[in-house]
Amino acid sequence: MPPEALLDFVAPWADVYADSSVLPTLVTFGHTAALVFAGGLAVTLDRATLRAARGSSEIRWRQLKELGSAHRLVLFGLGLSLFTGILMFAADLETYFVSRIFWTKIGLIGLLLGNGYLMTRTESRIASTPNAADDAGWKRLRFSAGISMALWFMIAFAGVALVNA
């Protein structure tokens, strides 16, 4: 059970949310659209990274540049999903606060962010080598891309399970 002070703090928002049919639709759409946008872009980039890891140094270099320019978009989508997720959490605190599925999803998001951080560090290291030819770095990047893809799909599964639990 959530602390009473927290329930009191979110009560005005929870009441407005519960009394509206439009607000939950907009917040849920924002959450879903942000995840589809960020996750779709990230999975597409991860797939390209898996392919580039086996390609020529020119292909690898192009992929590094693409990754660098796309990270802001993925982070924007994650930020929007975080904001809308907090709104949904606050609207039904009693349900989500005690939900193992919710906290599992939050844990998976934490792992995704940690993996993303390691990926960007690896990308920076690779980019500092001539012609992006750091094979050990590309192996790490390839592994991280695979982990990223798996985490995005596990997060989507957890979100669906959360709605249906």
Side-chain angles (χ1 to χ4, degrees), residues 79-159:
L80 181 58
S81 71
L82 174 66
F83 176 71
T84 54
I86 289 169
L87 292 177
M88 290 188 294
F89 177 75
D92 195 2
L93 194 62
E94 290 179 341
T95 298
Y96 293 126
F97 194 84
V98 297
S99 170
R100 289 182 183 160
I101 297 170
F102 173 79
W103 293 110
T104 299
K105 183 179 177 185
I106 297 302
L108 291 168
I109 292 167
L111 290 173
L112 180 73
L113 291 171
N115 187 61
Y117 173 75
L118 292 175
M119 284 182 80
T120 57
R121 296 280 314 255
T122 303
E123 291 163 25
S124 295
R125 269 189 242 120
I126 294 169
S128 69
T129 62
N131 298 323
D134 178 4
D135 286 333
W138 274 98
K139 284 182 183 177
R140 276 192 307 275
L141 193 58
R142 188 170 182 268
F143 179 77
S144 289
I147 294 296
S148 173
M149 289 178 80
L151 286 168
W152 277 107
F153 285 102
M154 287 190 285
I155 290 166
F157 180 80

Side-chain angles (χ1 to χ4, degrees), residues 37-38 41 70-81 113 120 152:
F37 173 76
L41 180 57
H71 283 301
R72 282 186 294 263
L73 294 172
V74 173
L75 288 174
F76 171 78
L78 278 172
L80 181 58
S81 71
L113 291 171
T120 57
W152 277 107

Side-chain angles (χ1 to χ4, degrees), residues 22-87:
V22 173
L23 199 52
T25 301
L26 291 174
V27 172
T28 303
F29 170 75
H31 191 70
T32 304
L35 287 173
V36 167
F37 173 76
L41 180 57
V43 167
T44 300
L45 291 166
D46 291 335
R47 182 176 179 277
T49 299
L50 293 172
R51 293 180 67 184
R54 294 196 169 124
S56 67
S57 62
E58 181 183 327
I59 291 170
R60 288 177 175 188
W61 187 251
R62 237 182 297 141
Q63 180 61 16
L64 283 176
K65 287 171 55 177
E66 183 66 27
L67 287 170
S69 65
H71 283 301
R72 282 186 294 263
L73 294 172
V74 173
L75 288 174
F76 171 78
L78 278 172
L80 181 58
S81 71
L82 174 66
F83 176 71
T84 54
I86 289 169
L87 292 177

